[in-house]
Amino acid sequence: MKTTKTSKTNTRSRIIFFAIALTYNLLLGFYLKDFLVLSPMLLTFYLLSALPTLFFVLKIRSTPMRVIALIVLFFVMVMSIVSALSCRRLLPMLTFVVTAIEMMYFGIVDNSSGKDKSLTKICVLVLTAFIAVLLFFSYNFVYKPVEPYFSNGRDTLWDTQTEELANEICAGCETDEEKVRASYDWIIANFEYDYDCNPLFQYFNVRKTLQTKQGICFDFSHLFAAFCRSQNIPCYAVDGTPYDRSKEPHTWNRVYFNGSWWDVDVTCDILRIQNQMKLYGFCKLESFGSPDNDYQIIKIY
């Protein structure tokens, strides 16, 4: 009788946790749907959030299989934290939340015991293999990005609406230079510097930036990069620390067109156009890694 009661309690708990994880992933998928179709990196992290939910369906009873599930969930949590910090993205932390819920169940709540069926063991191992492959891809996205000046999902991220806006801005442009200058002109004409912004953790939120029409250098440089990259134009965002320590760190862009790399500081020109000053514009470089006169470059991404 006691064994039956315990079994019913475990089943009820498993269903409740599964329902919570499933609902969470459905809401997350709905929120990210306009990003997932354009960002392989974000799709990978969404799958890392959704696939471990299937562990609930498998009715795992034995300790070895639970240990495997816990190890997998632990690595997913670690990769979520690492990617969020490395890529300045809060979205991978959403994967961390649901994984923490699953770890709580298998590590604390689930006290079932017994032997697993052979089919259950096979399914656990196959699911583990799929998740391991996704972890490998996520590692490459974070540390070994291919053509980072085209990538969507690291520090720079855009969705279908952003791409549609970029297409509208660049409508009628025939060359990459015309598209770059159209994007640049649109941003400096429509945005204001947010003097009240003092973020604890700086990341780029394309929806917020486009909605508020405000931001700081990190926001504007990545918006410009998103516009350029969505048009298949190579563009980097550049972090720099001033040689003159009285100034603040800064982020600007390096974009490629007409066979050369060019420096462009969208934030500087937003402030200059508001103060009716001469614009910084575009400055030709020898290469994308050329040193800057005012800032020591600490990261190009």
Side-chain angles (χ1 to χ4, degrees), residues 185-216:
D185 290 339
W186 188 85
I187 293 175
I188 66 173
N190 288 280
F191 288 81
E192 296 180 350
Y193 192 87
D194 186 1
Y195 290 98
D196 296 326
C197 181
N198 188 22
L200 179 64
F201 178 71
Q202 181 63 57
Y203 67 100
F204 171 57
N205 186 336
V206 63
R207 287 175 173 171
K208 180 181 178 181
T209 303
L210 288 173
Q211 181 181 9
T212 62
K213 294 293 193 295
Q214 288 186 324
I216 58 177

Side-chain angles (χ1 to χ4, degrees), residues 79 82-83 86-87 137-146 154:
M79 183 53 66
V82 168
S83 64
S86 175
C87 302
F137 283 141
S138 65
Y139 172 84
N140 283 337
F141 281 131
V142 173
Y143 291 106
K144 299 178 180 179
V146 178
R154 285 178 53 84

Side-chain angles (χ1 to χ4, degrees), residues 40-45 47-48 79 83 129-146 154:
M41 176 181 173
L42 204 60
L43 177 60
T44 298
F45 277 99
L47 290 175
L48 284 174
M79 183 53 66
S83 64
F130 272 116
I131 295 174
V133 171
L134 290 174
L135 285 170
F136 174 76
F137 283 141
S138 65
Y139 172 84
N140 283 337
F141 281 131
V142 173
Y143 291 106
K144 299 178 180 179
V146 178
R154 285 178 53 84

Side-chain angles (χ1 to χ4, degrees), residues 238-243 247 250 252-254 263-265 280 283 285 287-298 300:
V238 183
D239 277 350
T241 300
Y243 299 117
K247 298 180 180 179
H250 189 47
W252 68 97
N253 294 100
R254 291 188 168 179
D263 246 350
V264 55
D265 194 331
Y280 176 83
C283 179
L285 301 168
S287 70
F288 77 88
S290 296
D292 187 80
N293 293 330
D294 300 316
Y295 292 89
Q296 179 183 357
I297 296 174
I298 58 175
I300 299 179

Side-chain angles (χ1 to χ4, degrees), residues 8 33 41 49 63-64 69 72 108 113 134 156 162 179 185 197 202 223 225 237 245 258 260 295:
K8 288 182 178 179
K33 62 180 177 16
M41 176 181 173
S49 174
T63 299
V72 169
I108 301 175
S113 60
L134 290 174
T156 302
T162 310
K179 293 177 181 179
D185 290 339
C197 181
Q202 181 63 57
L223 179 61
R245 296 300 177 179
N258 290 347
S260 300
Y295 292 89

Side-chain angles (χ1 to χ4, degrees), residues 222-267:
H222 283 282
L223 179 61
F224 179 75
F227 281 167
C228 291
R229 293 178 183 184
S230 71
Q231 303 299 306
N232 295 317
I233 298 172
C235 186
Y236 281 102
V238 183
D239 277 350
T241 300
Y243 299 117
D244 179 0
R245 296 300 177 179
S246 64
K247 298 180 180 179
E248 295 292 329
H250 189 47
T251 307
W252 68 97
N253 294 100
R254 291 188 168 179
V255 61
Y256 185 85
F257 62 85
N258 290 347
S260 300
W261 285 94
W262 302 75
D263 246 350
V264 55
D265 194 331
V266 181
T267 307

